[in-house]
Amino acid sequence: MDDASGSSATMDEDKKSMEVNSKADPTTKDNLSTEANIMPETADEPQDLDLEKQEADAKPKTLSPMDPASFPDGGREAWLAVSGAFCCLFCSFGWINAIGVFQAYYQTHQLKNYSPSTISWIPSLEVFVMFLGGPIWGKLYDNYGPRYILLVGSFLHVFGLMMASISSEYYQFLLSQGICSPIGASMVFYPAMSSVGTWFFKKRAFAFGVMASGSSLGGVIFPIMVNRLVVEKGFGWAMRAAAFLILGLLIYANLTLKSRLPPMPKPWSIMDFINPLRELPFFLTVFASFLFFFGMFLPFTFIILSAEYNGMGTNLAGYLLAVLNAVSIFGRTLPGFAADRLGRFNTMIVTSFLSTILVLALWLPARGNVPFILFAAFYGFSSGAFVSLAPALIAQISDIRQIGVRTGSMFAVVSLAALVGNPIGGALVSNEDGNYLHLQIFCGCMMFGGSCVFVAARASLKGLNLMRKV
């Protein structure tokens, strides 16, 4: 009994000693607890789940610049680039938007002995040359970035306009305003379009819309500026004043516009421009843009003349382009904002058909002042979406590393429509002894065809389900 009680006392002392030691050394408890939990945790959480967690943790550290998550979608540098691109489009596309002023002016002044169709080659060459350089400047952009292209383009654009200010013969206007200036405008336009796309992914269409609104603002200011200065200071100083304004804005653009991605020089190959056309969505998008562009610029060129033909006073008609381009500011920003939420192809289809309806249902039967003013306003909104959404569509279906070449290829094809569209319109007017009916029908039909092909391009991507965001 004594031995038993002694043994029991010894066991109690050992137990108390272990409890004291465990409290004094917490690592003992932790070690025991860790050892006890190793197997249950492994059983409850498979190893592959741990690997997935490790991959998820490691992914942000190895993001490619092309990964959607790597696009900043805002920030100081991104919006500075947008502001520089805004100035670029103000000076390039904004100047092109004012071509209707020169068509009307040349027909009654320096080139009054030439037919409207012959004179229209000057604005047609402006649009054609500006867009035709797309593949060249796009490839140079992909290889070397925007800096030197923009710098040379700024000089050529301003130099061409200065030479136009001292021109008096038809060939001089063709060389200065129809070739030299738009070559520079082209070198200003494409780096801006391509650079903005490198900074934005989710907000890309909206950023393109803000940038493209610069062309609308230019289209408001230049017609009013030229019309007023031609009367007060003469044609020469009107052109020089516009050139000085462009020079100041392009200096700012050269300081702020840059690409997020470093240039990646690659060998030149003609297939770089042809291969994208083998992709059905890209081909259909380009073909739709080609058809739509055939008609889109006709109102810009002939709205002043058609309004005067139908009884509008010369002074009031001179403001129609300003009205059209002023409303186009909203047409190039709001559809872009909606496109990021509703789908870029969806938005392009709606605005394209709306433009077609306005041409055939409002411009064609217009008589008197009010219908022409209403058409200028509504058409400015609907057609403005094309400029901001077309490059956004190309970016959506392209590798961002090839954005320069692909955007350039699209606009090069479009330039062919721009080249012949205005002369065809001028010839239709001449054949009808000044009546604009056939020109308006031609314009509406070409835009309708382009709108239908945009539907086909959307279907090639996601089918005909109207509820899908495309």
Side-chain angles (χ1 to χ4, degrees):
M1 294 292 293
D2 292 339
D3 291 341
S5 62
S7 175
S8 175
T10 302
M11 291 177 64
D12 289 342
E13 289 176 1
D14 291 341
K15 186 176 180 180
K16 288 179 181 179
S17 176
M18 289 179 65
E19 289 178 355
V20 170
N21 290 337
S22 68
K23 290 179 181 179
D25 185 7
T27 59
T28 304
K29 183 177 181 180
D30 291 340
N31 290 338
L32 290 172
S33 174
T34 301
E35 293 173 359
N37 287 332
I38 286 176
M39 293 305 295
E41 286 179 2
T42 304
D44 291 340
E45 297 186 12
Q47 279 188 338
D48 61 341
L49 188 60
D50 291 336
L51 291 174
E52 289 176 5
K53 289 181 179 179
Q54 291 172 12
E55 289 176 3
D57 293 339
K59 190 175 289 185
K61 300 177 183 178
T62 58
L63 277 180
S64 164
M66 313 305 161
D67 192 293
S70 68
F71 287 76
D73 272 312
R76 179 175 176 273
E77 287 186 310
W79 288 114
L80 275 176
V82 171
S83 69
F86 176 94
C87 293
C88 288
L89 266 76
F90 181 101
C91 300
S92 56
F93 216 132
W95 179 255
I96 298 299
N97 282 346
I99 57 178
V101 170
F102 297 100
Q103 177 76 24
Y105 182 80
Y106 292 151
Q107 282 187 209
T108 56
H109 291 80
Q110 291 101 320
L111 305 177
K112 60 184 177 183
N113 295 326
Y114 294 85
S115 69
S117 180
T118 302
I119 295 172
S120 67
W121 280 103
I122 297 173
S124 289
L125 266 178
E126 284 192 73
V127 181
F128 171 71
V129 172
M130 193 183 91
F131 289 142
L132 181 66
I136 300 171
W137 315 135
K139 185 64 177 178
L140 285 173
Y141 170 87
D142 289 339
N143 282 3
Y144 305 109
R147 176 177 298 178
Y148 299 110
I149 308 172
L150 182 58
L151 186 62
V152 175
S154 300
F155 169 77
L156 289 176
H157 191 17
V158 174
F159 178 74
L161 296 182
M162 290 293 187
M163 293 299 100
S165 72
I166 58 175
S167 298
S168 58
E169 300 293 333
Y170 180 73
Y171 78 91
Q172 293 172 342
F173 287 109
L174 277 179
L175 291 174
S176 59
Q177 192 174 352
I179 296 178
C180 180
S181 169
I183 287 177
S186 179
M187 298 176 75
V188 168
F189 175 72
Y190 284 105
M193 300 289 281
S194 300
S195 295
V196 169
T198 66
W199 292 97
F200 295 87
F201 185 81
K202 294 180 181 178
K203 300 178 182 177
R204 182 176 290 158
F206 177 66
F208 273 120
V210 173
M211 172 191 66
S213 66
S215 64
S216 298
L217 186 60
V220 174
I221 291 175
F222 284 126
I224 297 174
M225 180 179 180
V226 171
N227 275 328
R228 296 292 296 273
L229 288 177
V230 161
V231 175
E232 297 177 9
K233 302 295 182 181
F235 176 80
W237 272 110
M239 295 294 285
R240 286 189 282 274
F244 281 125
L245 173 60
I246 288 172
L247 176 62
L249 291 172
L250 289 181
I251 289 174
Y252 174 82
N254 275 271
L255 296 174
T256 56
L257 182 69
K258 64 179 181 179
S259 172
R260 181 179 65 91
L261 304 177
M264 294 178 291
K266 294 180 181 178
W268 286 73
S269 172
I270 190 65
M271 298 308 295
D272 290 339
F273 310 106
I274 297 175
N275 284 334
L277 294 172
R278 295 177 177 176
E279 302 170 15
L280 184 60
F282 185 87
F283 172 79
L284 290 174
T285 302
V286 170
F287 185 48
S289 301
F290 173 82
L291 292 177
F292 191 81
F293 217 77
F294 235 116
M296 191 189 84
F297 257 100
L298 290 175
F300 285 83
T301 305
F302 291 100
I303 188 172
I304 295 176
L305 295 168
S306 64
E308 291 176 351
Y309 177 81
N310 286 281
M312 181 177 284
T314 302
N315 289 334
L316 181 58
Y319 285 94
L320 287 176
L321 267 182
V323 171
L324 191 157
N325 286 302
V327 180
S328 184
I329 295 174
F330 302 100
R332 298 183 186 189
T333 51
L334 296 180
F337 181 79
D340 287 328
R341 288 153 180 78
L342 305 177
R344 291 154 194 160
F345 277 89
N346 297 340
T347 308
M348 177 67 97
I349 289 168
V350 171
T351 55
S352 299
F353 275 113
L354 178 59
S355 297
T356 304
I357 292 170
L358 288 171
V359 168
L360 296 176
L362 187 54
W363 190 29
L364 192 152
R367 300 293 183 273
N369 295 347
V370 174
F372 277 98
I373 295 172
L374 290 176
F375 171 75
F378 291 136
Y379 184 78
F381 181 87
S382 62
S383 65
F386 177 87
V387 178
S388 61
L389 291 179
L393 297 186
I394 298 300
Q396 179 173 328
I397 58 177
S398 303
D399 185 336
I400 197 67
R401 291 169 292 188
Q402 300 175 337
I403 190 67
V405 169
R406 285 174 167 252
T407 302
S409 297
M410 186 268 286
F411 278 114
V413 174
V414 163
S415 70
L416 298 174
L419 176 65
V420 299
N422 284 333
I424 289 175
L428 290 172
V429 173
S430 298
N431 290 340
E432 292 298 311
D433 298 324
N435 193 308
Y436 290 84
L437 176 65
H438 287 178
L439 178 148
Q440 292 162 330
I441 293 173
F442 172 74
C443 173
C445 290
M446 297 307 296
M447 294 173 71
F448 177 76
S451 303
C452 291
V453 180
F454 275 126
V455 174
R458 180 194 183 280
S460 70
L461 286 170
K462 297 291 184 179
L464 294 174
N465 187 340
L466 299 179
M467 302 307 295
R468 285 185 176 180
K469 176 183 175 181
V470 184

